[in-house]
Amino acid sequence: MTGININKNSVILAVLVVLLLLLPMAVTKPYYLHVIIICLLWAYLASSWNIIGGFAGQLSLGHGIYTAIGAYITVILFNTFGLSPWLGLFVGGGAAILLSLVIGYPTFGLRGAYYALATVAISEGIVVLLNNTGSIGRFTVGGAEGLIVKMVGNSAVAFQFNSKIPYYYIVLIMVFLIIFVAKWLKESKLGYYLVALREDEDAAAAMGINVRRNKLIAGAISAFFTALGGVFYAMLIRYLEPNAIAGAGMSTQMVFLAIVGGSGTVLGPVIGGILLALISEIIRFYLGGQLMGLHLFIYGMIVLLMIIYQPRGIIELFEKIGQRFSRKHNDEGGRSGAEDPSGA
Amino acid sequence: MQKTLLELSDLSIKFGGLTAVNKLNTKINVGEAVGLIGPNGAGKTTAFNLIVGVYQPTAGKVVFDGEDITGLPPHVVCRKGIGRTFQVVKPFGKMTVLQNIMVGAFVNTSKNKEARQIATEIMEKMGLQGKRDHLAQNLTIPERKRLEMAKALATQPKLLLLDEVLAGLNQTEIEEAVQLIKTINREGITILMIEHVLQATMAICSRIVVLDYGKKIAEGSPQEVTSNSEVIKAYLGDEYENADS
């Protein structure tokens, strides 16, 4: 029975991958492709947040600082030295890891709301810093006016493309990468430790888990991948504005999408990211011009309804549907098999 | 003479003006099963927390397996070979029973497959195989108590500290649990258990330590302890002793 399920799943997966690879042939308008790219980017960012926020249950409300540090460092190195963003992203990602450790060491001792508040305070501080730093030595940071990525025309080395299609494939690979990381994490010792310490820190410690160390590792992994998302954002938009890249909007959006999709699961944040970003874009497209802020209001209502009626995330809906399907199959095969909820 | 596994010397802790554990001295030999009893608030659970490093002792030493482990943090103490259960059980609610036990098994392996194998064996020993894929938050109290023991056993300890694992169970369940603990002890795991169910403690333990107001007031075989006048006084009050004599 399990064998059939795996085969069925891999067939569905293969079809999905092929469809996604062929998508740019069907979607020829750059605007539509851009919307899809943004949706995938949000799916990626929500999944990156999910490693520390979902699996380890540490409610970070300041992940915007990691998108910002990745983006700013990569762009500054590119603008100043012409260093390829493909190399710059490792510097940016590395800096995000360091920052996560510096922030995590004192704050991971805090529990519950105190940790969340600390992350808000730190990220707000960094937004103020970015807004007020015009330059550091010869490095232009841009302050409140923002930082423009130096244009060099169509160049793969410089991560600049005239067409949207390369961006689409890059972000698609990023989403696959983060799903792979989450899937690995879920099966690994680290993943078990994170969920255990999320459920009960004292019990986790009594079972040999170094709580702070494991939080730091999860925080570093999460920060690194979040920073890569920031780099992609910078190269796609080609303009960094402190409030947009580091602000509360960026930070809370990741949290919303992950929770609405289903935090602590492998695919929940991906589904939440794509679905909500799409809904938000559709509402903005149709209502954006009519009444100031109406589209944001409606978007907020939708998020609210989802949280009320589907508190464990959209992923749970998908799992229920999947279970109903497999149960039907089991009944036809004359087996109940209802004891095993782990099939999905 | 048997080998000493755990030695507490002058172990003490003060919370403000209150001395919760006062100069506790005792030795536990390899393979023994020892009971730790005493009225409510006598400092039994606090003594456990001192052994595993949840609290730092104000004075005194904890020597385990020939090594001074005083004040080491709980996760290190666990890896030295001391497993403990909590009086108020702490299952990882959103994990399945098997996953709960696997967390403990990961102390000795990094491979998912091996951890699963170790956990499955312990799950079967504890009679939880029927609940394998149930979320821990959906278990009944007796099942939770057994899961609590299974989690501690999965870390493959030399010494198992059991904090009131029989509380809240009915007579049949207590008898089952007693057999289970005896089996665990017979298989070579030394046991120190806090228990209010005296009859069960006597069935399991060859030696009992009695605490009252943080102090050890008696130690010995179950018969010696239960006939000790200090112990009777601690449990039933002065008047009972006076009336008796």
Side-chain angles (χ1 to χ4, degrees):
Chain A
M1 181 188 81
T2 327
I4 294 165
N5 269 348
I6 288 170
N7 284 340
K8 204 171 69 183
N9 283 346
S10 35
V11 168
I12 294 171
L13 191 71
V15 171
L16 200 67
V17 170
V18 171
L19 283 180
L20 283 168
L21 288 175
L22 295 177
L23 190 94
M25 293 171 93
V27 183
T28 46
K29 275 194 181 159
Y31 168 72
Y32 290 133
L33 200 54
H34 183 79
V35 171
I36 292 168
I37 291 169
I38 293 292
C39 290
L40 289 173
L41 177 60
W42 280 120
Y44 171 85
L45 286 173
S47 299
S48 304
W49 177 86
N50 187 44
I51 292 169
I52 186 72
F55 284 111
Q58 304 302 304
L59 186 63
S60 166
L61 297 175
H63 254 46
I65 59 175
Y66 302 123
T67 46
I69 196 165
Y72 269 95
I73 286 185
T74 307
V75 172
I76 289 170
L77 288 175
F78 177 68
N79 284 355
T80 320
F81 303 114
L83 180 74
S84 165
W86 293 107
L87 298 174
L89 65 84
F90 288 105
V91 185
I97 291 177
L98 275 179
L99 184 66
S100 82
L101 296 177
V102 169
I103 293 173
Y105 197 78
T107 53
F108 278 147
L110 304 171
R111 290 189 186 191
Y114 295 100
Y115 171 74
L117 287 177
T119 59
V120 172
I122 292 162
S123 77
E124 285 304 305
I126 288 189
V127 173
V128 173
L129 269 179
L130 282 175
N131 268 317
N132 291 292
T133 310
S135 60
I136 304 167
R138 58 183 290 214
F139 303 111
T140 308
V141 180
E145 283 173 22
L147 183 64
I148 294 167
V149 179
K150 207 181 263 176
M151 290 294 294
V152 294
N154 205 24
S155 157
V157 178
F159 208 136
Q160 293 183 10
F161 307 98
N162 291 337
S163 157
K164 291 279 179 197
I165 295 173
Y167 292 105
Y168 169 76
Y169 284 116
I170 292 167
V171 78
L172 191 62
I173 290 169
M174 288 166 71
V175 171
F176 281 134
L177 177 72
I178 201 76
I179 292 174
F180 180 79
V181 170
K183 187 112 181 70
W184 164 80
L185 193 67
K186 203 185 162 197
E187 296 299 318
S188 73
K189 178 174 170 173
L190 176 62
Y192 274 81
Y193 277 13
L194 295 182
V195 177
L197 69 86
R198 175 188 80 197
E199 294 295 308
D200 195 306
E201 288 193 12
D202 296 326
M207 292 171 83
I209 299 174
N210 185 337
V211 172
R212 181 173 296 196
R213 182 160 162 264
N214 282 284
K215 281 184 188 175
L216 284 172
I217 294 170
I221 297 173
S222 175
F224 178 77
F225 287 109
T226 307
L228 298 197
V231 175
F232 180 84
Y233 173 93
M235 302 326 285
L236 178 73
I237 311 290
R238 295 175 189 167
Y239 169 65
L240 294 178
E241 200 266 319
N243 297 315
I245 186 90
M250 172 64 89
S251 295
T252 48
Q253 185 76 341
M254 282 183 234
V255 183
F256 269 150
L257 299 177
I259 291 177
V260 168
S263 74
T265 63
V266 174
L267 289 177
V270 176
I271 292 168
I274 292 174
L275 226 55
L276 278 193
L278 197 64
I279 290 171
S280 151
E281 198 61 33
I282 290 169
I283 298 170
R284 196 170 68 93
F285 185 78
Y286 287 106
L287 298 174
Q290 298 188 356
L291 193 64
M292 275 288 275
L294 179 65
H295 68 285
L296 286 176
F297 176 75
I298 293 178
Y299 174 68
M301 293 303 288
I302 290 175
V303 171
L304 197 67
L305 288 174
M306 283 181 172
I307 289 174
I308 292 171
Y309 290 106
Q310 199 55 48
R312 284 190 199 153
I314 305 170
I315 186 84
E316 200 198 35
L317 267 179
F318 281 73
E319 277 170 0
K320 271 184 195 158
I321 295 166
Q323 267 173 23
R324 192 158 299 168
F325 262 105
S326 58
R327 195 160 300 161
K328 226 178 215 170
H329 273 276
N330 289 340
D331 290 347
E332 282 163 11
R335 280 182 64 176
S336 68
E339 278 284 284
D340 181 24
S342 68
Chain B
M1 193 65 205
Q2 270 191 308
K3 194 173 166 259
T4 306
L5 185 63
L6 181 77
E7 183 172 5
L8 310 178
S9 28
D10 286 335
L11 198 63
S12 310
I13 186 168
K14 283 185 186 172
F15 295 116
L18 175 84
T19 308
V21 174
N22 196 353
K23 294 197 174 161
L24 177 60
N25 287 289
T26 195
K27 271 185 189 177
I28 294 167
N29 293 326
V30 175
E32 251 191 315
V34 177
L36 184 60
I37 67 168
N40 284 326
K44 304 180 298 288
T45 298
T46 309
F48 267 23
N49 283 332
L50 285 172
I51 296 169
V52 301
V54 171
Y55 301 137
Q56 306 283 317
T58 330
K61 262 197 341 187
V62 181
V63 176
F64 177 69
D65 212 6
E67 189 184 349
D68 187 349
I69 61 160
T70 318
L72 291 179
H75 67 267
V76 178
V77 172
C78 167
R79 283 165 190 274
K80 298 274 180 205
I82 303 183
R84 68 95 48 108
T85 68
F86 289 90
Q87 186 177 358
V88 179
V89 292
K90 294 175 181 287
F92 304 126
K94 297 236 160 56
M95 290 176 129
T96 66
V97 166
L98 183 67
Q99 286 169 340
N100 264 272
I101 305 171
M102 278 173 73
V103 171
F106 271 123
V107 164
N108 293 306
T109 175
S110 289
K111 294 201 182 80
N112 183 297
K113 217 175 169 183
E114 281 175 26
R116 192 171 290 267
Q117 207 176 335
I118 298 169
T120 306
E121 277 169 30
I122 290 166
M123 181 175 68
E124 282 164 5
K125 195 200 288 182
M126 300 303 289
L128 284 165
Q129 63 271 31
K131 299 285 171 178
R132 183 178 182 272
D133 295 314
H134 288 236
L135 291 185
Q137 65 190 11
N138 298 332
L139 296 182
T140 63
I141 287 291
E143 287 162 356
R144 281 173 196 227
K145 297 264 178 186
R146 265 186 279 164
L147 177 61
E148 189 75 7
M149 277 198 273
K151 282 163 68 189
L153 279 177
T155 65
Q156 297 177 321
K158 293 177 197 147
L159 172 66
L160 185 59
L161 307 181
L162 300 173
D163 197 346
E164 293 199 29
V165 286
L166 305 180
L169 304 188
N170 68 30
Q171 202 52 45
T172 337
E173 289 157 357
I174 287 177
E175 275 157 27
E176 282 170 12
V178 166
Q179 288 313 315
L180 210 51
I181 297 169
K182 277 181 160 175
T183 312
I184 292 166
N185 184 228
R186 218 175 298 129
E187 286 172 3
I189 297 174
T190 310
I191 283 173
L192 176 60
M193 61 187 292
I194 295 176
E195 201 47 71
H196 278 299
V197 186
L198 276 182
Q199 174 199 355
T201 319
M202 290 183 206
I204 297 166
C205 303
S206 54
R207 200 152 57 85
I208 288 177
V209 175
V210 190
L211 284 187
D212 191 26
Y213 291 110
K215 273 191 169 163
K216 183 170 85 177
I217 55 168
E219 179 172 359
S221 70
Q223 289 73 25
E224 283 165 13
V225 162
T226 42
S227 54
N228 182 307
S229 64
E230 284 272 342
V231 177
I232 295 167
K233 200 162 75 181
Y235 270 93
L236 300 169
D238 283 324
E239 288 141 39
Y240 179 85
E241 200 215 7
N242 292 339
D244 199 40
S245 57

